[in-house]
Amino acid sequence: MHRGLATTGVVGTLKGKRKGQKTIGLRADMDALHLQEKNDFAHVSVHDHRMHACGHDGHTAMLLGAARHLAANPDFAGTVHFIFQPAEEGLGGARVMIEEGLFDRFNCDVVYGMHNMPGIDTGTFAIRAGAMLASSDSWEVTFKGTGGHGAMPDRGTDPTYVAAQFIVAVQGIVGRNVPPSQAAVLSVGHIHGGTPGSPNVIPSEVLIKGTARSFSADVRALLRTLRLPLPERLSRRTRTTRRGARIDMRRTVRAQLRGDSLRLAYREARHVRPPLVILADVSGSMERYTRMLIFFAHAVAQCEARVETFAFGTRLARITPELAGDPDRALARLAARAGDWGGGTRIAQCLARFNRAWARRVLGPGASVLLITDGLDVAPDDAHAAALAAEAARLKRSARHVLWLNPLLRYAGFEARAHSIRALLPHCSAFLPAHNLESLRQLGAVFSSLSHRSGSAALAMQARARLRAPSIPAH
């Protein structure tokens, strides 16, 4: 019995009496939902706001029953691993278990899993060719207004009206964008705005959350691209009038409170600088190189308001708080935390972790990603390279620019031969060296150009011209 994979995961192992080398895995998920159960049968949940509304307690019971039966009748050849997986949806239970070494510790030739389906006769199974269950993606939208009194909606900006129109309009995304031969669902599952005790107050924000389901990777990618274009963000202090002018609400209200005659105060909209995200490789041969770049990241954080820094090796960790103070102390704390990051770089796993856990939190409109690594992954086979390319493509879709700093470019005659490097290159806006002060100065010039030039192709051309980096090769 092994506990602790993906925090609450459990794996049990049973060997048969007969000799055999084959190993199978039997998997069941065991997550619950944040619901208050109101049933009255014997197996009702005893925990407030925790309910097995999808029947995953049944999955757990079936796997326990299978383990009990095989333990009582071990007349089989080989080994069985009973995998109790937490967090079926949203928190990445299976992915995290795999990242933490599930199949390294418990090798499986095949894995079997199932999901209950109400309406099917007891004791029967339903199978089909192709995709059996849909992918699950979560989405959320926040509508921001100025709020106000419910009796005077003309005095403010009411986000509830816009949110209501959005809920109706979102149902047209599937009908007018997804091919009729394909299946997809967009559903709204959560709406929040205002407080129950103040129904006469128009809220300043309305939050809508939902889920998206699809059966193919193409439709899933299509649903992710169907979003409102947000080339820039405007200050909350401004509102757009019908004439297109922008009103400074704060200055206007202050003038009215002073007793001045009603006069609208206008101002230019403020633009928020796009975020910069740094992904720094700290393992193996990259340690000394990254140490220099950590100082660079600290310097950038002093002049850029929105900088997030992550370190990765065999795992990924956010180190932005450590870089808020002195960089020497930040490096010392980082070294203390990085003791278990040896053993080579797992770029694909770390990019997957960033894409799923952090991309939506730290990347925004116009974001730039600075990837610092030599690109040499610990698993350089073709299958792994394909997974790495998929994660790099997903990162590129979430950011406007992906700049790759590679220390191998300091060597004359460098050629991109490694599978992992060739998998990453097509998804990068620029491939740059940065191994001395002069190249860092030039990199700073490239950063300053991000707000003046548009398009990844123009940025890549400028970066290559300045730093004389080799052209990005094809696959």
Side-chain angles (χ1 to χ4, degrees):
M1 182 73 69
H2 179 85
R3 304 174 184 267
L5 282 174
T7 306
T8 57
V10 178
V11 179
T13 300
L14 177 65
K15 294 184 179 295
K17 288 185 176 180
R18 290 187 284 158
K19 293 182 180 181
Q21 300 299 321
K22 294 294 184 179
T23 302
I24 68 170
L26 301 180
R27 168 264 186 196
D29 47 1
M30 52 184 185
D31 62 330
L33 297 176
H34 294 278
L35 295 174
Q36 182 65 43
E37 187 164 8
K38 298 181 179 180
N39 294 313
D40 55 5
F41 40 59
H43 56 279
V44 66
S45 174
V46 297
H47 301 284
D48 289 337
H49 303 291
R50 299 290 187 273
M51 177 183 178
H52 283 287
C54 288
H56 297 172
D57 49 347
H59 297 176
T60 304
M62 286 186 283
L63 187 55
L64 286 171
R68 181 177 180 178
H69 176 78
L70 291 176
N73 303 274
D75 187 24
F76 60 89
T79 304
V80 181
H81 296 305
F82 304 96
I83 304 170
F84 294 87
Q85 172 204 313
E88 178 208 31
E89 298 176 6
L91 299 180
R95 174 176 51 80
V96 176
M97 290 187 80
I98 294 173
E99 289 177 354
E100 294 183 1
L102 171 64
F103 294 124
D104 295 332
R105 304 181 190 181
F106 308 96
N107 181 55
C108 295
D109 295 304
V110 291
V111 177
Y112 295 94
M114 60 179 295
H115 199 292
N116 68 81
M117 178 61 71
I120 296 181
D121 294 336
T122 302
T124 62
F125 289 84
I127 59 175
R128 56 166 289 180
M132 184 70 183
L133 300 176
S135 63
S136 174
D137 292 293
S138 298
W139 55 267
E140 64 179 61
V141 181
T142 301
F143 296 91
K144 297 184 179 181
T146 57
H149 199 287
M152 296 178 287
D154 58 305
R155 301 284 183 89
T157 303
D158 186 355
T160 63
Y161 177 78
V162 182
Q165 302 299 317
F166 171 82
I167 293 173
V168 176
V170 76
Q171 302 305 320
I173 290 180
V174 173
R176 289 297 174 265
N177 292 276
V178 178
S181 59
Q182 302 286 343
V185 172
L186 281 175
S187 296
V188 175
H190 175 82
I191 305 172
H192 176 75
T195 56
S198 302
N200 62 325
V201 177
I202 297 174
S204 60
E205 292 187 4
V206 174
L207 174 66
I208 300 177
K209 294 184 178 182
T211 186
R213 305 295 174 99
S214 58
F215 280 100
S216 72
D218 292 340
V219 174
R220 187 184 188 192
L222 176 63
L223 293 177
R224 291 182 176 182
T225 60
L226 297 176
R227 61 182 67 180
L228 296 175
L230 295 174
E232 59 187 25
R233 293 183 180 181
L234 299 176
S235 170
R236 297 180 186 178
R237 292 176 52 184
T238 64
R239 279 179 53 202
T240 303
T241 67
R242 293 180 181 178
R243 297 175 299 170
R246 304 193 183 281
I247 304 172
D248 189 331
M249 299 300 297
R250 186 180 300 177
R251 289 171 58 192
T252 301
V253 171
R254 285 178 177 174
Q256 290 182 272
L257 292 176
R258 289 195 303 265
D260 297 346
S261 59
L262 178 60
R263 180 178 298 176
L264 298 179
Y266 297 93
R267 71 187 299 272
E268 292 294 329
R270 291 187 302 161
H271 300 283
V272 180
R273 293 182 65 87
L276 171 65
V277 176
I278 300 174
L279 301 176
D281 187 349
V282 296
S283 65
S285 61
M286 287 295 299
E287 180 180 356
R288 299 178 64 182
Y289 179 75
T290 302
R291 182 181 181 88
M292 177 186 71
L293 271 301
I294 290 295
F295 280 89
F296 175 73
H298 177 266
V300 172
Q302 305 309 307
C303 57
E304 294 280 350
R306 304 175 66 193
V307 178
E308 290 283 348
T309 306
F310 295 80
F312 68 91
T314 56
R315 63 184 180 88
L316 177 83
R318 178 174 176 263
I319 61 172
T320 303
E322 280 82 353
L323 292 179
D326 181 79
D328 289 308
R329 295 182 180 179
L331 285 169
R333 289 194 295 268
L334 177 60
R337 293 177 56 186
D340 60 338
W341 289 354
T345 308
R346 299 180 180 178
I347 305 176
Q349 290 186 9
C350 293
L351 284 185
R353 176 65 176 169
F354 176 82
N355 286 332
R356 288 160 177 76
W358 289 102
R360 295 188 57 161
R361 304 186 201 179
V362 300
L363 294 179
S368 297
V369 175
L370 185 61
L371 178 63
I372 306 171
T373 180
D374 57 12
L376 301 179
D377 210 317
V378 294
D381 55 34
D382 291 337
H384 188 83
L388 177 58
E391 294 301 335
R394 182 176 179 182
L395 176 65
K396 185 62 176 66
R397 289 194 298 267
S398 302
R400 186 175 183 182
H401 304 291
V402 177
L403 310 179
W404 183 4
L405 303 187
N406 193 323
L408 298 180
L409 289 179
R410 69 182 185 271
Y411 298 113
F414 168 78
E415 295 182 10
R417 296 181 179 178
H419 288 276
S420 53
I421 295 180
R422 295 171 65 88
L424 281 171
L425 275 174
H427 309 290
C428 296
S429 306
F431 190 35
L432 314 172
H435 55 279
N436 55 33
L437 294 179
E438 175 61 20
S439 59
L440 287 181
R441 184 192 66 79
Q442 294 176 340
L443 177 63
V446 173
F447 275 131
S448 66
S449 70
L450 293 180
S451 59
H452 302 294
R453 300 194 59 165
S454 61
S456 299
L459 176 66
M461 290 175 60
Q462 181 187 34
R464 293 193 202 104
R466 290 188 177 187
L467 304 182
R468 299 180 181 178
S471 300
I472 297 178
H475 276 295

